[in-house]
Amino acid sequence: MWKLTKLAAVAAVLAASATAGAGEVEVLHYWTSGGEAKSVAELKKIMQGKGHTWRDFAVAGGGGDSAMTVLKSRVISGNPPSAAQTKGPAIQEWASEGVLANMDALAKAEKWDELLPKVVADIMKYKGAYVAAPVNVHRVNWMWGSSEALKKAGVAAMPKTWDEFFAAADKLKAAGLVPVAHGGQNWQDFTTFESVVLGVGGAKFYQDALVKLDDKAINSDTMKKSLETFRRIKSYTDSGAPGRDWNLATAMLIQGKAGFQLMGDWAKGEFLAANKVPGKDFMCAAAPGTTTSYTFNVDSFILFKLKDSAAQKAQSDLASSIMSPEFQEVFNLNKGSIPVRAGLKMDKFDDCAKASTKDFVDTAKSGSLLPSVAHGMAIAPATEGAIKDAVSQFWNDDKVSVADAVKKIAAAAKTK
């Protein structure tokens, strides 16, 4: 784990107080695609409506890896932004460096503990105090279908099992279409992989193998079957997949060139931005075998310590705006996700979002609400990175056997 020196941490705070102008918030994020950019523009509008100046600090790259590299550089150099998009265990790691602001006064005044599910609230806290504000809940284990492509291939319904999926993929291939739109980046590879593990092994196996990193689960026949299924999916992708951004893969479905995409519900934001209608132009369904489970990704903003009172006020207003019903509704309508704040009316949301909200509540009760490993919600970043690399190596190199992949994943799981 990268560590800030105490000196650098002090420098960060001092520089922040010196550079943050009155009523100004600088926000680092990686929401740069169509649906995402539209969403973040709403937050900017709300902040400007409160009289604050918004400095947009966007770093492209859907998984956020590039943004985190830039953020570390900024903090070490003593010039952090007011807020930065971060999530999962990385929130705790930043907080442990002593550079984050305690937002408890605001959280208590606005009753965040009552508005947020405990599983989400706990992720936003460090040693019992809020240091981050959550924006939304994404379901990761979605599968999207192009109505145009499926109709052309004679696929009548979204597949519920992997056998049905491969049968549909064969029909799409025979129709001259790309069965699976994919972007060859390690977080995209793992987004597919974790849905396969969940679909093949179920919620308990997913928890044991990918969250608890249990050696017995990783070395099991179920993991081998998961890897075999994962490799089979690769054979249905196109030669242009390596390096493709996720939203360009979604565009292949929008254009009717590809049948399926295994991707979180931010993909829906792209369909909606292209004026496509759910249930008509595109279909949503849980990834094969995962109907009764839910892998989640909660976007959030960590808030850095600032000494200037005007900067603190602007930062507090930013956190309050993020949690406001107004922003929660409009942001999630654009982004494709669902509100993290409990009790909001869902009448403006589409059927995919309504299904996601119901499943989020149901799986929380059943014990099959699971953090996404691919999206930084489950394990330490260093371990996550090592496992992602092992899985992507298997995806990209057919010479790597299933047995070798199991060994590499098991070794990566021990990375600290």
Side-chain angles (χ1 to χ4, degrees):
M1 166 57 187
W2 156 81
K3 281 283 182 184
L4 282 174
T5 63
K6 286 185 179 178
L7 184 62
V10 172
V13 175
L14 292 175
S17 64
T19 59
E24 177 183 275
V25 285
E26 184 182 18
V27 182
L28 185 150
H29 63 90
Y30 44 93
W31 287 324
T32 54
S33 74
E36 294 174 329
K38 193 174 177 184
S39 300
V40 81
E42 294 295 339
L43 186 56
K44 176 181 179 180
K45 191 190 301 180
I46 291 170
M47 289 300 289
Q48 288 176 333
K50 294 186 177 185
H52 299 303
T53 302
W54 173 281
R55 283 181 62 195
D56 199 62
F57 186 5
V59 181
D65 293 340
S66 299
M68 288 307 96
T69 301
V70 172
L71 180 60
K72 287 172 186 176
S73 174
R74 284 283 302 269
V75 175
I76 288 172
S77 67
N79 183 30
S82 308
Q85 186 183 350
T86 311
K87 59 195 174 186
I91 294 172
Q92 318 305 317
E93 294 197 351
W94 279 104
S96 71
E97 302 291 352
V99 294
L100 300 187
N102 184 325
M103 303 304 293
D104 261 4
L106 173 70
K108 285 174 181 173
E110 298 190 348
K111 301 181 178 178
W112 287 11
D113 275 346
E114 296 175 26
L115 295 171
L116 298 173
K118 188 176 186 300
V119 66
V120 174
D122 287 348
I123 294 170
M124 300 301 124
K125 295 177 181 179
Y126 178 69
K127 294 184 177 178
Y130 280 96
V131 293
V135 179
N136 58 358
V137 178
H138 278 296
R139 187 178 196 170
V140 177
N141 61 312
W142 276 121
M143 177 171 65
W144 307 94
S146 165
S147 298
E148 181 184 340
L150 298 182
K151 184 179 180 181
K152 184 179 178 183
V155 177
M158 292 289 277
K160 289 185 169 63
T161 66
W162 287 113
D163 286 343
E164 289 178 6
F165 175 84
F166 291 123
D170 285 334
K171 288 183 178 180
L172 285 157
K173 201 170 191 177
L177 299 163
V178 177
V180 181
H182 185 75
Q185 298 166 334
N186 72 355
W187 71 269
Q188 293 193 64
D189 297 341
F190 210 94
T191 295
T192 297
F193 180 68
E194 70 179 23
S195 284
V196 171
V197 170
L198 183 59
V200 170
K204 185 180 185 303
F205 178 74
Y206 176 99
Q207 185 81 22
D208 289 345
L210 298 185
V211 180
K212 294 180 180 176
L213 303 175
D214 177 72
D215 198 58
K216 186 178 177 183
I218 291 172
N219 285 281
S220 68
D221 288 341
T222 305
M223 179 59 79
K224 291 172 187 171
K225 186 179 179 185
S226 298
L227 285 160
E228 288 165 0
T229 304
F230 181 59
R231 173 157 279 170
R232 192 174 171 191
I233 294 170
K234 167 76 182 299
S235 69
Y236 291 100
T237 62
D238 68 310
S239 60
R244 178 187 288 141
D245 285 335
W246 69 269
N247 53 309
L248 298 182
T250 306
M252 293 169 67
L253 273 71
I254 292 171
Q255 295 159 6
K257 295 177 180 177
F260 300 118
Q261 183 185 20
L262 291 153
M263 187 55 61
D265 53 19
W266 47 92
K268 189 180 68 177
E270 297 301 296
F271 285 109
L272 299 179
N275 297 315
K276 299 300 180 181
V277 180
K280 179 187 173 187
D281 301 311
F282 68 96
M283 312 299 289
C284 61
T290 73
T291 304
T292 58
S293 298
Y294 192 118
T295 47
F296 69 87
N297 169 23
V298 175
D299 286 317
S300 54
F301 283 94
I302 52 174
L303 302 140
F304 287 90
K305 285 182 179 176
L306 306 171
K307 284 193 174 179
D308 180 80
S309 59
Q312 286 178 351
K313 176 67 169 67
Q315 183 186 60
S316 180
D317 282 352
L318 174 69
S320 179
S321 297
I322 287 169
M323 280 289 289
S324 69
E326 174 194 5
F327 176 69
Q328 286 278 317
E329 179 177 90
V330 72
F331 176 90
N332 287 293
L333 282 169
N334 284 324
K335 186 76 160 59
S337 44
I338 61 173
V340 68
R341 179 186 173 119
L344 286 187
K345 289 182 179 179
M346 296 295 290
D347 52 333
K348 291 184 182 177
F349 287 80
D350 58 65
D351 289 344
C352 297
K354 288 173 182 173
S356 182
T357 301
K358 181 183 183 300
D359 290 348
F360 182 66
V361 173
D362 290 349
T363 54
K365 293 174 183 173
S366 69
S368 53
L369 179 62
L370 305 158
S372 168
V373 177
H375 296 276
M377 298 305 302
I379 57 179
T383 315
E384 177 194 324
I387 295 176
K388 278 181 177 174
D389 288 345
V391 167
S392 283
Q393 189 179 356
F394 174 74
W395 175 268
N396 290 309
D397 187 353
D398 290 341
K399 294 175 185 174
V400 179
S401 69
V402 168
D404 286 340
V406 168
K407 287 178 186 174
K408 289 177 186 291
I409 293 169
K414 295 176 174 63
T415 302
K416 300 295 183 186

